[in-house]
């Protein structure tokens, strides 16, 4: 008999480019894992910023390995949006399951989540007074 | 003397007295005669035929002449027991002159028996003391579990007086700290019922009571003159003599838990040593238990008061339309959570009833607090309830301007009865669209959609209007129902399709039955697994033509709802 | 409770109420009972002989497949509402006349058959008790908190489905450990109350009248702390079979479905919904098997199985599936000697063709 295992979530960094970051989310995104999702995605953003400077423009999330989702995923995505947009990062959702599409459409936030972020850092604009190595907390 | 001759055999063979005096070489008759142990020689019928000096002395102390009478009862009984075929004869034990002895027999010639009495008074006393100590420990353990098992002040007080009467006195009274000028008094007497009374008493009437009720500075237990106690301090119907009265404070957590008054028939004004310790432990435990119960009652009362506004309202029929709601919080020990609903009876000519059901992101008390806020805002916006979009925009603004990061999805419904049918204007703000159960068994999804509230600066909302014929129901529900995970295979979502299937069977059912059925099915689907908050609200056009299919001559609305829910 | 014991005038009323309930004519049902109450029909007889009688009949008619499940729900909903309305209509005992003390009436957590408990609450209220009716599906923590807050003389705990017995046991011991006496009632506890005794309830009553009479005699006050550990009540649980069957429930259902697939060609043509029904049926069998293990009574499981066979028979469904289901389960529970005995006994009873009166879901 298979022992019961709690639903699990993994966030994997697929590829890192100066202006784009690709993350793949696998497992369950539900009430028990949203905090972990938020933490890991923020970590990935912080680390990108630490390595590349505040130049990220596009965050791509690949959901093809997502096995389950509930409505609390919405909280996680809105929180992510709340952080990303002021930093000029646009969210892109790829291959999301039907249930996620349904939740986003039902709540009327689908377009809002993926709308273009305002331009904060034009490409090539590196501000010398902002030491990118340590600025990981914002 | 024939019997005396048998003694040497006995002395040599005796198994039970390792510290037997004198060795085998000593002349036997002298041996037992001078032994420091009392020795009796009995003949076959049990009469004492000879004793040594120690025995004579012992029995003289007891005021008994063993030569004339026969053996003490316990020894006579032992004497009559048949001698076992194998092994040593059985010894016996009993008391003589207030001392306890073990009597070791030895059969002699002609049916004589020689009894050596070995004193074990000290051992016996030690055993008795141990036994007493064990009993007290058991009683204290019993008392503790009885006292601490209930968090109800009344029951705790009952247990306290009953235990006090059982173990420390003939009757007992607990005087609780004053509530205003009145004190709650709890009485009992041995073998009697517990009685309660609340009275404005003067504590000064019992010496030491005032101080004990203040609890500080610590006051010792006091014996007072029975003549000094007022009538209210005596259990009703108590007729026993009062020899002494004891006033014992029951120490609480930082404040007095009450005072125990013990009435004893004995005029002796002191506890025995054992009682003293016992009484002190008892008072400490009773005081602690009463304090805990009082603390719990206060907390429960505060919680009840605070939660009252957050609890879902009890729904009923309004303006000829049935409303029923069931709310089940995510945690079984909680009563509130992130789901909510309200029904505001319509006023004015239109009598348009305003209904809201919603779901705040998150669970538990924190989410519940936001539901309270949303409900208040919506209540304030009632005059604008004709325009759902306007209401939602204002609510969104209010939530966006506050500092929390939570959002909510909700459905608004404006309900109006017109002749036989019910018209409902529905607007979903990012919430699952309501389901409409038609009389022909179809289940329709209301065509409304919109943005959730509290997350986006701008919102949109598309309203729809549905008409319910008699027996038709509009069900508003939260995703706790459809996201219930379980079923026979353990890991499936209940889902909208199963909900629709269930609703097909709810045609022409009362609103109450519809919500009960949906909650029951979701709950069975869960089968005890964890779940989110689950709310259901049914709006139903009653069957039976007229708007009042209720009781003939019924006064439903005016009758007080005196049954607790 | 059935029409055979109902005196003539009430028999007539029962028939009419039955007709109204089946017709989903709530207003007519309301008018019938209130008119009877106003005409001076004894309140208790109205509750227990008429309303409860009709509810009982609804269950019987459903089991015999003479009414649909939807009709059963709708009719039950109407008797429930009739009862609630009747209580309001009569309510002869305002608070100050409630001289007999305070009691709590509740259904065990997971128990949604509220009517028996509601009837009891009404009868006790009518007889002068101050009744706190907590309704159906009362979580044990709520019950305990309620007792702490209100200090009732006794808690009357209702359960209709035997599968609620483990939960009931937990509630009984929790309540007793805080010093309150518990009376158990409802079909779950057995027609003779054997499971109430097994789970150490302080009292048991077969119906509302008897419950009221037992309360009048007074229940022995429970000594808190004297309550044994819950597992002391049921020493047979040490074989772990109950626990293992419960924890493997999902796996058992999945494996049984797979086994049925392999052995029962008809299964392969089933729609998703039909497969789900079958899965639910297997889950139901596992649940009853588990509770039979809990109370260590093969008769409970046999009773359920033969009752199910009767239900299937009434619907012209061959019992072969049920047979096969038991066989498949036995195949998966080979290491469970007690379980295997239960399955064997039930299978033999099925073969003998006896029909049981049911595990008691009717009021």
């Amino acid at each position: 008999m298979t022992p019961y295992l709690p639903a699990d979530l993994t966030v994997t960094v697929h590829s890192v480019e100066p202006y784009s970051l690709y993350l793949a989310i696998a497992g369950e995104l539900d009430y028990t894992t949203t905090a972990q999702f938020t933490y890991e995605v923020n970590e990935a953003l912080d680390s990108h910023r630490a390595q590349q400077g505040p130049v990220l423009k596009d965050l791509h999330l690949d959901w093809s390995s997502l096995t389950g989702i509930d409505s609390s995923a919405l909280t996680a995505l809105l929180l992510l949006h709340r952080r990303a947009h002021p930093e000029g990062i646009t969210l892109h959702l790829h291959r999301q399951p039907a249930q996620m599409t349904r939740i986003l459409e039902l709540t009327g936030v689908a377009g809002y989540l993926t709308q273009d972020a305002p331009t904060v850092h034009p490409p090539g604009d590196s501000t010398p007074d902002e030491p990118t190595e340590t600025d990981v907390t914002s | 003397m024939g019997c005396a001759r048998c003694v040497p055999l006995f002395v040599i063979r005796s198994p039970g007295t390792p510290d037997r005096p004198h060795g085998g070489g000593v002349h036997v008759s002298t041996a037992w005669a001078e032994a420091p142990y009392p020795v009796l020689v009995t003949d076959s019928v049990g009469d004492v035929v000879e004793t040594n000096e120690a025995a004579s002395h012992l029995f003289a102390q007891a005021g008994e002449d063993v030569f004339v009478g026969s053996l003490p009862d316990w020894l006579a009984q032992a004497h009559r027991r048949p001698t076992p075929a194998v092994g040593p004869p059985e010894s016996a034990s009993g008391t003589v002159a207030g001392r306890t002895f073990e009597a070791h027999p030895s059969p002699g010639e002609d049916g004589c028996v020689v009894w050596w009495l070995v004193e074990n008074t000290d051992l016996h006393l030690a055993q008795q003391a141990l036994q007493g100590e064990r009993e007290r420990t058991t009683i204290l353990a019993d008392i503790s579990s009885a006292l601490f098992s209930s968090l109800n002040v009344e029951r705790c007080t009952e247990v306290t007086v009953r235990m006090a009467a059982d173990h420390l006195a003939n009757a007992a009274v607990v005087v609780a700290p004053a509530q205003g000028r009145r004190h709650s008094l709890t009485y009992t007497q041995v073998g009697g019922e517990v009685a309660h009374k609340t009275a404005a008493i003067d504590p000064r009437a019992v010496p030491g009571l005032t101080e004990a009720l203040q609890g500080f500075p610590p006051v010792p237990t006091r014996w007072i003159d029975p003549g000094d106690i007022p009538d209210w301090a005596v259990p009703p119907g108590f007729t026993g003599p009062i020899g002494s009265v004891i006033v014992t404070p029951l120490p609480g957590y930082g404040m007095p838990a009450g005072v125990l008054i013990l009435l004893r028939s004995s005029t002796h004004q002191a506890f025995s040593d054992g009682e003293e310790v016992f009484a002190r432990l008892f008072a400490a435990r009773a005081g602690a238990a009463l304090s805990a119960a009082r603390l719990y009652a206060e907390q429960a009362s505060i919680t009840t008061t605070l939660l009252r506004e957050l609890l879902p309202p009890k729904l009923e029929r309004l303006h000829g339309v049935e409303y029923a709601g069931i709310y089940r919080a995510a945690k079984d020990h909680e009563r509130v959570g992130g789901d909510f609903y309200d029904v505001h009876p319509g006023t004015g000519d239109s009598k348009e009833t305003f209904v809201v059901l919603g779901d705040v992101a998150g669970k538990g008390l924190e989410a519940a607090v936001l539901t309270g806020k949303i409900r208040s805002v919506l209540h304030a916006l009632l005059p604008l309830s004709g325009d759902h979009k306007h209401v939602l925009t204002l609510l969104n603004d209010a939530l966006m301007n506050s500092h929390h990061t939570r959002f909510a999805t909700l459905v608004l419904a404006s309900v109006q009865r017109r002749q036989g049918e019910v018209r409902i204007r529905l607007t979903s703000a990012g919430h699952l669209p309501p389901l409409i159960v038609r009389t022909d068994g179809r289940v329709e999804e209301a065509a409304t959609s919109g943005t959730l509230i509290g997350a986006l600066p701008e919102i949109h909302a598309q309203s729809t209007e549905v008409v319910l014929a008699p027996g038709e129901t509009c069900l508003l529900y939260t995703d706790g129902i459809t996201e219930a995970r379980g079923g026979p295979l353990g890991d499936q979502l209940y889902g909208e399709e199963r909900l629709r299937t269930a609703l097909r069977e709810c045609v022409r059912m009362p609103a109450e039955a519809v919500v009960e059925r949906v909650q029951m099915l979701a709950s069975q689907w869960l089968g005890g697994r964890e779940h989110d908050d689950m709310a259901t609200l049914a709006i139903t056009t009653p069957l039976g033509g007229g708007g009042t299919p209720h009781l003939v001559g019924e006064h439903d609305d005016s009758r007080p709802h005196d049954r607790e829910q | 409770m059935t029409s055979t014991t109902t005196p003539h005038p009430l028999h007539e009323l029962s028939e009419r109420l039955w007709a109204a309930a089946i017709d989903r004519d709530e207003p007519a049902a309301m008018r019938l009972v209130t008119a009877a109450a106003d005409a001076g029909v004894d309140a208790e007889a109205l509750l227990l002989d008429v309303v409860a009688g009709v509810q009982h009949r609804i269950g019987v008619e459903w089991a015999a497949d003479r009414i649909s499940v939807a009709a059963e729900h709708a009719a039950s909903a109407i008797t429930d509402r009739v009862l609630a309305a009747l209580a309001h209509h009569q309510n002869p005992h305002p608070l100050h006349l409630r001289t007999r003390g305070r009691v709590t009436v509740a259904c065990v957590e997971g128990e949604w058959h509220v009517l028996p408990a509601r009837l009891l609450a009404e009868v006790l209220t009518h007889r002068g008790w101050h009744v706190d009716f907590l309704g159906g599906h009362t979580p044990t923590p709520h019950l305990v908190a309620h007792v702490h807050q209100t200090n009732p003389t006794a808690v009357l705990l209702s359960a209709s489905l035997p599968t609620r017995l483990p939960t009931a046991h937990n509630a009984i011991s929790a309540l007793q450990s805080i010093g309150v006496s518990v009376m158990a009632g409802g079909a779950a506890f057995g027609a003779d109350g054997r499971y109430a005794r097994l789970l150490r309830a302080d009292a048991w009553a077969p119906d509302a009248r008897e419950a009221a009479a037992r309360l009048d005699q007074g229940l022995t006050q429970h000594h808190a702390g004297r309550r044994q550990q819950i597992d002391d009540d049921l020493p047979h649980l040490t074989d772990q079979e109950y626990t293992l069957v419960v924890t493997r429930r999902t796996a058992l259902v999945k494996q049984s479905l797979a086994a049925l697939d392999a052995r029962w060609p008809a299964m392969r043509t089933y729609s998703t919904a039909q497969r789900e029904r079958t899965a639910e049926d297997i889950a139901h069998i596992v649940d009853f098997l588990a509770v039979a293990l809990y109370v260590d009574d093969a008769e409970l499981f046999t009773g359920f199985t033969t009752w199910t066979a009767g239900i299937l028979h009434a619907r012209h469904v061959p019992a072969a599936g049920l047979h096969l289901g038991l066989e498949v389960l036995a195949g998966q529970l080979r290491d469970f000697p007690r379980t295997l005995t239960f399955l064997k006994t039930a299978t033999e009873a099925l073969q003998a063709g006896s029909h049981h009166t049911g595990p008691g879901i009717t009021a």
Side-chain angles (χ1 to χ4, degrees):
Chain A
M1 312 259 167
T2 325
Y4 173 76
L5 288 171
D8 218 352
L9 177 91
T10 55
V11 177
T12 318
V13 179
H14 251 225
S15 70
V16 185
E17 295 163 17
Y19 305 123
S20 302
L21 178 61
Y22 291 82
L23 303 180
I25 294 94
E28 305 260 331
L29 184 57
D30 60 19
Y31 185 74
T32 58
T33 58
T34 45
Q36 186 200 342
F37 171 82
T38 302
Y39 176 82
E40 293 201 19
V41 175
N42 279 339
E43 283 278 285
L45 289 175
D46 290 344
S47 134
H48 186 278
R49 194 183 172 99
Q51 284 160 17
Q52 312 275 346
V55 295
L56 188 64
K57 291 190 63 65
D58 297 290
L59 175 63
H60 298 269
L61 302 172
D62 185 321
W63 302 98
S64 55
S65 300
L66 199 71
T67 52
I69 181 173
D70 75 11
S71 54
S72 37
L74 192 60
T75 313
L77 288 171
L78 285 168
L79 270 176
L80 179 57
H81 182 273
R82 185 170 297 190
R83 167 183 174 163
H85 261 226
E87 296 179 25
I89 304 166
T90 301
L91 302 182
H92 303 270
L93 309 180
H94 303 287
R95 298 193 280 178
Q96 70 258 42
Q99 174 73 356
M100 181 183 278
T101 310
R102 162 101 175 120
I103 290 174
L104 297 183
E105 280 173 2
L106 182 69
T107 51
V109 300
Y112 172 78
L113 270 182
T114 53
Q115 70 190 184
D116 286 343
T119 306
V120 182
H121 303 288
D125 172 29
S126 56
T127 40
D129 52 81
E130 228 178 291
T132 55
E133 293 294 304
T134 53
D135 189 17
V136 291
T137 49
S138 63
Chain B
M1 202 177 257
C3 282
R5 278 197 304 275
C6 66
V7 172
L9 296 172
F10 163 67
V11 169
I12 290 159
R13 280 197 247 128
S14 170
T17 55
D19 53 352
R20 180 175 49 79
H22 306 302
V26 182
H27 187 270
V28 283
S29 92
T30 329
W32 66 260
E34 292 174 3
Y37 294 94
V39 176
L40 304 172
V41 182
T42 56
D43 64 16
S44 56
V45 296
D47 281 337
V48 177
V49 292
E50 205 157 346
T51 59
N52 70 353
E53 202 180 306
S56 309
H57 188 67
L58 172 68
F59 283 92
Q61 271 186 341
E64 289 176 42
D65 186 346
V66 287
F67 287 99
V68 177
S70 55
L71 292 165
D73 272 353
W74 59 274
L75 206 48
Q77 276 171 23
H79 182 82
R80 285 194 291 274
R81 273 202 303 260
T83 313
V86 191
E90 289 178 56
S91 55
S93 64
T95 58
V96 181
R99 295 153 67 188
T100 48
F101 293 90
E102 188 114 339
H104 299 278
S106 170
E109 292 165 11
D110 308 329
C112 284
V113 180
V114 179
W115 296 94
W116 285 72
L117 303 187
V118 182
E119 184 168 1
N120 61 1
T121 306
D122 287 347
L123 175 67
H124 197 77
L125 284 178
Q127 279 172 341
Q128 264 184 340
L130 180 65
Q131 180 69 18
E133 204 52 50
R134 278 184 182 150
E135 275 166 14
R136 266 195 294 279
T137 308
T138 309
I139 292 168
L140 270 176
D142 264 8
I143 287 174
S144 289
S145 55
L147 281 169
F148 283 99
S149 61
S150 177
L151 287 170
N152 182 275
V153 176
E154 201 177 306
R155 186 171 286 256
C156 253
T157 314
E158 280 172 18
V159 172
T160 302
V161 283
R162 183 165 288 142
M163 297 253 170
D166 283 353
H167 300 290
L168 290 169
N170 301 80
V173 186
V174 167
V175 183
Q179 300 275 319
R181 287 184 53 241
R182 299 170 80 81
H183 290 264
S184 160
L185 304 167
T186 307
Y187 305 92
T188 199
Q189 51 182 305
V190 175
E193 293 287 303
V194 175
H196 289 283
K197 161 164 119 180
T198 303
I201 55 160
D202 181 4
R204 286 170 302 181
V206 178
L209 180 59
T210 313
E211 297 85 333
L213 277 171
Q214 278 164 356
F216 194 85
V219 283
T221 294
R222 274 184 68 164
W223 263 260
I224 61 169
D225 189 338
D228 282 350
I229 64 163
D231 286 347
W232 58 256
V234 180
F238 181 72
T239 52
I242 304 174
S244 56
V245 176
I246 303 145
V247 178
T248 301
L250 301 173
Y253 300 141
M255 55 182 159
V259 175
L260 179 64
I261 301 177
L262 300 170
L263 310 178
R264 288 160 57 115
S265 56
S266 155
T267 50
H268 183 59
Q269 296 216 341
F271 284 128
S272 72
D273 283 352
E275 281 178 333
E276 178 73 45
V277 175
F278 183 81
R280 213 168 28 202
L281 280 171
F282 177 79
R285 287 181 195 191
L290 277 169
S291 289
R294 226 164 253 142
L295 205 57
Y296 177 82
E298 272 166 29
Q299 294 297 317
S301 150
I302 291 167
T303 309
T304 307
T305 309
L306 291 178
L307 287 189
R308 196 171 292 142
E309 292 297 307
L310 299 178
L311 287 172
K314 200 161 162 47
L315 305 186
E316 54 190 1
R317 184 183 293 235
L318 284 171
H319 306 314
V321 181
E322 280 183 14
Y323 299 90
I326 295 186
Y327 176 64
R328 191 177 166 200
K331 294 268 165 54
D332 278 338
H333 58 271
E334 287 175 354
R335 289 162 196 272
V336 298
D339 289 1
F340 63 97
Y341 53 76
D342 267 314
V343 173
H344 301 281
T347 51
D349 294 339
S350 71
K351 293 200 168 169
E352 195 175 66
T353 299
F354 185 60
V355 178
V356 57
L357 173 137
D359 179 359
V360 165
K363 293 183 192 182
L365 197 55
E366 212 183 325
V369 170
L370 184 55
T371 68
K373 184 168 184 171
I374 292 175
R375 287 167 72 181
S376 308
V377 172
L378 287 171
H379 199 164
L381 295 175
L382 267 183
L384 306 174
S385 65
D387 184 346
H388 287 178
K389 173 79 190 294
H390 193 195
V391 168
L392 292 172
T393 305
L394 291 173
L395 179 64
N396 192 53
D397 291 348
L399 294 190
M400 290 295 283
N401 288 334
S402 60
H403 291 288
H404 57 78
T405 58
R406 291 177 187 275
F407 57 86
T409 68
L410 43 108
V411 173
L412 304 182
S414 293
V415 186
Q416 207 177 0
R417 183 169 177 123
R418 286 188 200 155
Q419 282 84 43
E421 55 186 35
V422 170
R423 285 173 182 278
I424 312 178
R425 194 154 26 81
L426 288 163
T427 309
S428 160
H431 197 87
L432 290 161
L435 295 172
I436 321 294
V437 186
R438 296 299 185 190
T439 35
D440 60 4
R442 276 180 302 128
V443 176
E444 298 167 359
E445 188 177 278
T448 169
S449 63
T451 322
L452 52 70
I453 300 297
L456 279 56
E458 300 288 330
I459 60 155
H460 69 87
Q462 181 67 51
S463 302
T464 188
E465 186 168 284
V466 299
V467 178
L468 298 183
E472 294 185 335
T473 290
C474 172
L475 181 78
L476 282 55
Y477 66 100
T478 58
D479 56 16
I481 298 285
T482 41
E483 286 184 1
R485 195 177 279 276
L489 302 180
D491 51 3
Q492 292 174 304
L493 292 179
Y494 185 64
E496 283 163 48
E497 201 39 55
R498 287 190 187 83
L499 176 59
R500 284 158 174 264
T501 308
L503 285 175
R504 276 184 209 112
E505 293 176 354
C506 293
V507 178
R508 286 157 51 92
M509 271 200 208
E512 225 175 323
V514 176
V515 288
E516 258 174 32
R517 176 129 188 91
V518 169
Q519 289 274 357
M520 179 185 90
L521 290 172
S523 160
Q524 287 172 350
W525 185 262
L526 282 164
R529 293 176 191 83
E530 281 197 19
H531 59 89
D532 198 353
D533 301 309
M534 304 195 293
T536 45
L537 187 151
I539 306 169
T540 303
T541 313
L543 283 165
T548 53
H550 250 207
L551 300 178
V552 184
E554 188 202 12
H555 316 289
D556 207 8
D557 294 335
S558 59
R559 200 179 284 270
H561 289 254
D562 51 5
R563 192 155 6 95
E564 288 227 355
Q565 196 57 46
Chain C
M1 293 235 289
T2 56
S3 52
T4 48
T5 56
T6 310
H8 183 66
L10 291 186
H11 176 73
E12 168 82 30
L13 179 61
S14 295
E15 285 297 319
R16 292 172 66 192
L17 182 61
W18 158 256
I22 282 305
D23 208 24
R24 304 193 186 189
D25 193 345
E26 188 189 330
M30 295 283 188
R31 280 193 298 270
L32 278 170
V33 290
T34 41
D38 291 340
V41 174
D42 175 60
E44 227 170 81
L46 203 50
L47 289 173
L48 298 180
D49 300 323
V50 178
V51 179
V54 166
Q55 183 60 33
H56 179 75
R57 185 167 167 192
I58 291 168
V60 170
E61 296 291 303
W62 169 78
D65 199 30
R66 287 190 287 268
I67 61 172
S68 70
V69 70
E72 189 255 342
H73 295 316
S76 300
I78 288 174
T79 52
D80 203 41
R81 284 163 62 87
V82 161
L83 176 59
L86 201 53
H88 259 303
H89 189 69
Q90 296 172 327
N91 197 15
H93 286 273
L95 267 175
H96 66 277
L97 290 178
R98 294 174 182 181
T99 51
R100 294 211 188 178
R102 191 166 188 174
V103 292
T104 301
V105 176
C107 292
V108 171
E109 183 167 3
E111 180 58 71
W112 292 81
H113 294 88
V114 185
L115 197 96
R118 201 192 290 277
L119 275 169
L120 175 63
E122 291 313 331
V123 167
L124 294 179
T125 304
H126 195 73
R127 291 196 179 190
W129 290 90
H130 179 173
V131 180
D132 293 323
F133 179 56
L134 304 188
H137 186 60
T138 308
T140 304
H142 284 192
L143 204 46
V144 167
H146 180 83
V147 167
H148 279 317
Q149 282 162 34
T150 61
N151 191 25
T153 309
V155 174
L156 294 92
L157 209 54
S158 170
S160 298
L161 286 170
T163 44
R164 303 276 83 90
L165 285 173
T167 313
H169 191 198
N170 184 34
I172 290 168
S173 68
L175 290 167
Q176 288 176 340
S177 71
I178 58 167
V180 68
S181 302
V182 182
M183 189 191 298
F189 294 99
D192 56 358
R194 64 173 78 170
Y195 307 128
R197 283 188 293 280
L198 182 77
L199 306 183
R200 298 186 191 256
D202 299 284
W204 169 80
D207 55 42
R209 283 193 180 94
E210 191 65 30
R214 284 289 287 111
L215 262 191
D216 284 349
Q217 290 164 22
L219 302 184
T220 44
Q221 274 301 307
H222 209 91
H223 277 283
R226 302 264 167 86
R227 183 66 168 90
Q228 288 175 300
Q229 291 293 306
I230 188 162
D231 44 338
D232 291 343
D233 297 345
L234 307 170
H236 53 266
L237 291 185
T238 48
D239 68 7
Q240 294 282 306
E241 291 196 20
Y242 165 75
T243 315
L244 289 167
V245 167
V246 167
T247 49
R248 288 184 193 184
R249 179 185 190 261
T250 300
L252 279 171
V253 172
K254 283 181 178 166
Q255 286 161 2
S256 300
L257 269 185
L260 283 175
D261 260 339
R263 296 179 53 180
W264 200 15
M267 271 277 286
R268 286 168 217 152
T269 64
Y270 274 15
S271 69
T272 314
Q274 282 174 312
R275 289 182 69 85
E276 190 167 301
R277 265 318 79 64
T278 309
E280 276 171 355
D281 290 345
I282 298 169
H284 213 193
I285 294 174
V286 174
D287 290 344
F288 270 86
L289 184 58
V291 77
L293 289 166
Y294 191 81
V295 297
D296 194 29
D297 189 357
E299 173 55 32
L300 193 155
F301 184 62
T302 304
F304 163 75
T305 319
T306 50
W307 175 81
T308 305
I311 297 289
L312 293 173
H313 181 75
R315 286 153 181 77
H316 308 292
V317 177
L322 188 55
H323 273 281
L324 195 56
L326 297 186
E327 205 177 308
V328 159
L329 273 178
Q332 292 174 60
L333 294 162
R334 277 193 214 99
D335 302 333
F336 297 64
R338 205 153 58 91
T339 310
L340 288 181
T341 318
F342 287 11
L343 284 167
K344 185 161 171 280
T345 312
T347 306
E348 283 163 6
L350 274 186
Q351 278 154 358
S354 61
H355 284 187
H356 192 265
T357 48
I361 52 163
T362 55

